Amino acid sequence: MDWTIPKFPLDTLSDEGLDWLTDHGSWLTRAVSRHVADWIDALTSALVAVPPWILIGAAALATWKVGGRRVGLLTLFGLLFLWNLRLWQATVETLVLVVLATAAALVIGIPVGIWFALSRRAWRIFSPVLDMMQTLPSFVYLIPALPFFGLGAVSACFATIVFSVPPVIRLTALGIRNVPAELVEASDAFGGSSAQKLFKVQLPLALPTIMAGVNQTMMLALSMVVIAAMIGAGGLGRVVWQSIQRLEAGAGFEAGIGIVILAVILDRATQALAARARPHGTA
């Protein structure tokens, strides 16, 4: 007797759900898309209009102040090298997308992480969702972005936000939960309100862990922006994608080195910020 278990129609349900969301929500996403596209274009145009040596000098000074001489020199010579490779326009486009996506992810992720830290029920309910988001292949995030926002940088930006937000949620919640109970109890004993306890005790002590989440979010945003070149995003990822299509190994290698340089600069700068946020006397 030959019989099989019917297949659960996950693909059909997903298609129908996406179609319903597109039909009923595309008016909103298209309006948002136009505004975000304007912001991306305006910021990119403004930065490109500034002479590169001015931006490079400003970035080197800023990272020197934050992370010391080594990080400042790394930024200076790394960006000068990208300028020399004629990749400055692509570098600026990549930076704009990474910064905007990271900022949006932090605006969403930090409050959600605070909520998860203060509500164990919310953490138990949504923790599996974060697990799923962090294990899905990055390419999957590009699929739902296209029907809502179309091809281009806006889809890349929103896919990047969704892809990169879980680490800052997790580490914000972890940092607040790891604040010593004695300090929380002392705040309660002195009559501190919930807001005072959060903003004067828990968040300051959790800041190094939150900054580690910022670092991870920025690195994931950079990796996703590069992958999103397949749906029309610009920047260094587009150079890599075009070099693959044209079998231009040299151009692809140059853009790949550019991505590595940018990743190292951003990583060292955010790590330095995390170190500065660490309370004195802690390891």
Side-chain angles (χ1 to χ4, degrees):
M1 182 175 181
D2 186 18
W3 60 278
T4 58
I5 299 174
K7 174 182 176 294
F8 182 75
L10 181 59
D11 52 351
T12 303
L13 293 175
S14 299
D15 289 339
E16 292 176 352
L18 188 58
D19 290 341
W20 186 89
L21 289 173
T22 304
D23 292 339
H24 293 80
S26 60
W27 63 271
L28 176 60
T29 58
R30 296 296 179 181
V32 172
S33 178
R34 287 192 295 270
H35 287 88
V36 174
D38 291 341
W39 297 341
I40 293 172
D41 292 340
L43 186 53
T44 302
S45 299
L47 291 177
V48 170
V50 178
W53 61 269
I54 294 179
L55 285 179
I56 293 171
L61 288 174
T63 52
W64 188 311
K65 184 175 178 60
V66 169
R69 182 177 61 182
R70 183 175 299 178
V71 179
L73 291 176
L74 170 66
T75 302
L76 176 63
F77 291 113
L79 294 181
L80 284 174
F81 185 57
L82 292 178
W83 184 20
N84 175 263
L85 292 178
R86 309 298 189 267
L87 291 173
W88 183 249
Q89 171 89 24
T91 300
V92 169
E93 292 174 357
T94 300
L95 272 174
V96 167
L97 285 176
V98 169
V99 170
L100 288 178
T102 301
L106 297 183
V107 169
I108 297 168
I110 291 177
V112 172
I114 293 172
W115 176 39
F116 285 175
L118 302 180
S119 172
R120 293 191 177 275
R121 176 178 296 179
W123 174 252
R124 285 196 298 268
I125 293 172
F126 292 104
S127 180
V129 177
L130 294 179
D131 293 337
M132 183 186 70
M133 291 175 67
Q134 291 189 281
T135 52
L136 279 174
S138 54
F139 297 96
V140 175
Y141 289 89
L142 304 178
I143 299 172
L146 289 173
F148 290 111
F149 304 105
L151 288 170
V154 178
S155 285
C157 190
F158 278 93
T160 301
I161 292 169
V162 177
F163 177 69
S164 61
V165 77
V168 74
I169 295 177
R170 282 189 179 280
L171 289 173
T172 298
L174 178 65
I176 293 174
R177 286 187 172 187
N178 284 344
V179 172
E182 296 82 2
L183 296 178
V184 177
E185 292 170 0
S187 175
D188 292 333
F190 281 103
S193 65
S194 298
Q196 289 174 327
K197 179 171 61 178
L198 176 64
F199 289 104
K200 295 186 177 181
V201 178
Q202 292 172 306
L203 282 178
L205 292 174
L207 189 56
T209 306
I210 295 173
M211 289 303 303
V214 173
N215 175 272
Q216 291 191 22
T217 293
M218 185 168 285
M219 292 299 100
L220 286 178
L222 179 59
S223 68
M224 189 62 176
V225 163
V226 173
I227 294 171
M230 293 189 299
I231 59 171
L236 295 168
R238 179 169 58 189
V239 179
V240 173
W241 183 239
Q242 288 176 345
S243 68
I244 292 174
Q245 294 176 313
R246 300 170 183 172
L247 298 178
E248 296 175 346
F253 181 72
E254 283 186 345
I257 291 296
I259 293 167
V260 171
I261 291 172
L262 204 56
V264 172
I265 291 171
L266 294 174
D267 179 62
R268 296 297 182 269
T270 51
Q271 282 190 16
L273 285 172
R276 289 167 67 93
R278 186 175 296 117
H280 295 294
T282 61

